[in-house]
Amino acid sequence: MQPDLGVLAHDRRGGRVTISTHVLDAARGRPFAGIAVALQRRDGTEVASAETDADGRITGWGEGLEAGVYRLVFDTSEAAPFFPEVVLTFDHSDPAQHYHVPLLLSPFAYSTYRGS
């Protein structure tokens, strides 16, 4: 039997499948600590909110979320004033899988991808 490559062992917290994010300062090659992030449903209803830790991470969100479209709203006003807010919308289509949605941020650009 082959392992399920969609969910990595380190992505499970006490048996729970989660949503996580990681904000990186792409210009300096360092994590961004203290970025406020809200996890919202597509209609704008807030599910959770937190700030990135010293390593630029937020982990453990999303236990028990239904399938659907969600978004992460990053308050980047102090980190990259040209982009005071970054909104990343993603399809949480399989609640049995972990979703890691990182943000790479620089003064005049940002990018993202589906992480592991």
Side-chain angles (χ1 to χ4, degrees):
M1 176 185 227
Q2 291 200 5
D4 178 3
L5 299 179
V7 180
L8 301 177
H10 74 275
D11 292 327
R12 289 183 176 258
R13 307 245 181 246
R16 303 172 316 185
V17 177
T18 60
I19 293 172
S20 62
T21 190
H22 191 190
V23 183
L24 296 167
D25 181 338
R28 293 187 180 102
R30 298 183 186 142
F32 262 126
I35 302 286
V37 185
L39 174 63
Q40 299 177 346
R41 297 185 196 290
R42 188 178 212 172
D43 67 5
T45 303
E46 188 170 295
V47 175
S49 64
E51 285 190 1
T52 56
D53 64 15
D55 194 36
R57 296 178 185 274
I58 298 173
T59 61
W61 281 349
E63 181 182 5
L65 283 182
E66 296 176 0
V69 176
Y70 290 84
R71 58 185 171 202
L72 292 171
V73 181
F74 299 81
D75 178 355
T76 54
S77 57
E78 291 189 32
F82 186 73
F83 298 109
E85 180 178 87
V86 174
V87 179
L88 303 179
T89 305
F90 61 99
D91 186 358
H92 180 63
S93 58
D94 183 358
Q97 288 196 27
H98 173 75
Y99 287 77
H100 182 64
V101 186
L103 173 64
L104 286 74
L105 185 62
S106 64
F108 298 102
Y110 65 87
S111 64
T112 190
Y113 58 94
R114 169 132 188 218
S116 58

